[in-house]
Amino acid sequence: MKPVVGTVVSNKMQKSVVVAVDRLFHNKLYNRYVKRTSKFMAHDQNDECNIGDRVKLDHSRPLSKRKHWVVSEILKRARIYVPPPKSSSETDSKTGVSANAN
């Protein structure tokens, strides 16, 4: 089978990820393109995929009941939001109380 490209939707398992692969096909009756999504379980040997990553999958021998794909490469990493650290010197201008004080 040819390699497929999809987006990681779950990485809660050890060395396994679930990848959603979208495909478009033409409906001749309505003359519209229809999008269908297939979800594949794939083996991630180094456990380095995160949710939102764009990955390329290669077909392999059956590794388990539902796992027949292997992550061959990570094409694009997802951007993960990291909130800025709060500084302890911030004070409320009206009360003069520190933001960390309760």
Side-chain angles (χ1 to χ4, degrees):
M1 296 181 83
K2 71 177 195 176
V4 294
V5 175
T7 306
V8 176
V9 293
S10 173
N11 65 345
K12 294 182 179 181
M13 300 159 282
Q14 296 175 355
K15 296 188 176 184
S16 298
V17 291
V18 178
V19 179
V21 177
D22 293 331
R23 62 185 174 91
L24 284 175
F25 66 93
H26 187 259
N27 188 319
K28 292 180 182 175
L29 179 65
Y30 297 112
N31 198 23
R32 296 285 189 269
Y33 282 95
V34 182
K35 183 168 86 169
R36 292 282 184 250
T37 303
S38 300
K39 286 170 43 171
F40 299 117
M41 284 186 80
H43 183 68
D44 181 18
Q45 179 62 39
N46 300 327
D47 210 13
E48 56 190 17
C49 290
N50 288 318
I51 294 175
D53 288 352
R54 193 102 172 123
V55 295
K56 181 178 175 184
L57 302 179
D58 286 330
H59 203 340
S60 71
R61 64 180 179 82
L63 300 171
S64 68
K65 182 179 179 180
R66 293 186 54 216
K67 197 159 63 165
H68 304 270
W69 297 88
V70 175
V71 175
S72 61
E73 67 176 304
I74 300 174
L75 301 173
K76 183 179 178 185
R77 295 242 178 229
R79 294 182 5 176
I80 300 172
Y81 174 73
V82 179
K86 293 183 179 180
S87 63
S88 61
S89 63
E90 293 178 359
T91 58
D92 188 9
S93 60
K94 292 182 180 178
T95 60
V97 178
S98 168
N100 295 334
N102 290 329

